[in-house]
Amino acid sequence: KETAGYRDVVPEQFSEFEDYARDVLNDQILAQEKEALLSCDIVVINGEGSIYDRQRKGRMMLFIAYMAVKHFNRKCILVNHTADIHDPVMEEMVANVYPLLDDVVFREPLSYDACASHLTSYLQGDSDTLAADAAFTYCPISRESLIKLASRDGYFSVWPDSAEGFDPSKPYICVGGSSIYLRSDRPPYDPVPAFIELCRQLNDQIAPVVLTAPCSVDQKIFRPVAQQLN
């Protein structure tokens, strides 16, 4: 695709892979990636949540994997990833690239179920194709240790956010958001009213709610929720 005289080096559909591969081999695009493929013994791609819609990052991963196997004769594995292949363009790429891979590991079963028919026969039904994100190996401290550490009122407060009145020794519910909210590649959507209603009902009917904001997107959403519901 040409934009203001700049050609994107990532194919937009699978039918373009061979043309782009030829340009890589002729040193016209992706010179650093070509050098890396020539220098390595095996290619390991950490897929994360990148294979969905027609996202450029997902197309890039699949093209690199294709190049590694088809043109550089390297073993290639795709690990730690979530895949949503509702988009037909992305599904066609997956259908043509996944069978080339030496191993594929999904973070959860929905992605595996969606892509299983595109895996080579030796990977279909293999329990090793499922592995939770490394974050799930984290071992928190015991509840007793947490209460002892964090019983001081306001311990979790970080200006301008407040956790005043939070008692970790009593039942509570943590509510988190998602990096998908407020993204420029999604239709405009304001999740704040729904979170307010959700948290109000949880707070009134079950237990006090603690809003957790691991990223700035959650922070932007949850500050008005916290202000509304105290």
Side-chain angles (χ1 to χ4, degrees):
K1 177 165 122 175
E2 298 280 349
T3 304
Y6 169 77
R7 176 198 176 194
D8 193 354
V9 296
V10 182
E12 292 194 331
Q13 51 192 347
F14 181 73
S15 61
E16 299 175 341
F17 272 33
E18 272 303 308
D19 288 338
Y20 278 69
R22 192 177 306 112
D23 289 344
V24 173
L25 297 173
N26 291 332
D27 299 316
Q28 296 178 8
I29 59 173
L30 300 176
Q32 289 183 320
E33 287 76 6
K34 176 184 176 181
E35 182 180 355
L37 290 171
L38 286 169
S39 303
C40 73
D41 298 311
I42 185 171
V43 177
V44 181
I45 299 176
N46 177 23
E48 296 284 349
S50 300
I51 297 177
Y52 66 97
D53 296 346
R54 299 185 189 184
Q55 284 292 307
R56 186 177 187 273
K57 55 187 177 180
R59 291 185 280 115
M60 181 67 167
M61 288 180 179
L62 294 173
F63 180 57
I64 291 293
Y66 177 88
M67 286 290 303
V69 178
K70 291 282 285 186
H71 291 280
F72 291 88
N73 196 31
R74 299 294 189 264
K75 290 183 177 296
C76 182
I77 64 177
L78 175 60
V79 300
N80 188 43
H81 83 293
T82 295
D84 180 345
I85 55 173
H86 285 93
D87 187 282
V89 170
M90 189 64 79
E91 182 177 18
E92 184 183 16
M93 290 186 181
V94 164
N96 283 279
V97 174
Y98 277 38
L100 304 176
L101 302 176
D102 294 273
D103 201 0
V104 182
V105 183
F106 300 92
R107 296 194 294 196
E108 32 66 39
L110 284 178
S111 293
Y112 170 78
D113 291 342
C115 300
S117 62
H118 302 311
L119 301 177
T120 52
S121 58
Y122 75 90
L123 287 176
Q124 292 177 356
D126 183 355
S127 61
D128 290 337
T129 55
L130 289 175
D133 191 289
F136 291 102
T137 64
Y138 169 73
C139 295
I141 62 175
S142 68
R143 182 173 176 80
E144 292 73 21
S145 298
L146 171 67
I147 292 170
K148 183 178 180 181
L149 177 70
S151 59
R152 177 166 56 86
D153 192 28
Y155 176 85
F156 289 103
S157 296
V158 179
W159 189 89
D161 306 306
S162 173
E164 189 173 350
F166 170 52
D167 184 351
S169 69
K170 297 178 180 178
Y172 58 90
I173 301 173
C174 288
V175 173
S178 170
S179 61
I180 202 169
Y181 294 125
L182 310 186
R183 287 175 54 146
S184 60
D185 63 347
R186 284 289 186 267
Y189 170 66
D190 180 10
V192 172
F195 271 115
I196 289 176
E197 183 59 26
L198 169 67
C199 294
R200 178 182 285 117
Q201 292 198 34
L202 291 173
N203 195 73
D204 292 347
Q205 299 178 30
I206 302 178
V209 168
V210 175
L211 297 173
T212 61
C215 73
S216 58
V217 173
D218 294 338
Q219 211 170 48
K220 187 173 182 179
I221 294 169
F222 285 163
R223 278 179 173 156
V225 177
Q227 185 175 15
Q228 178 82 13
L229 300 178
N230 192 31

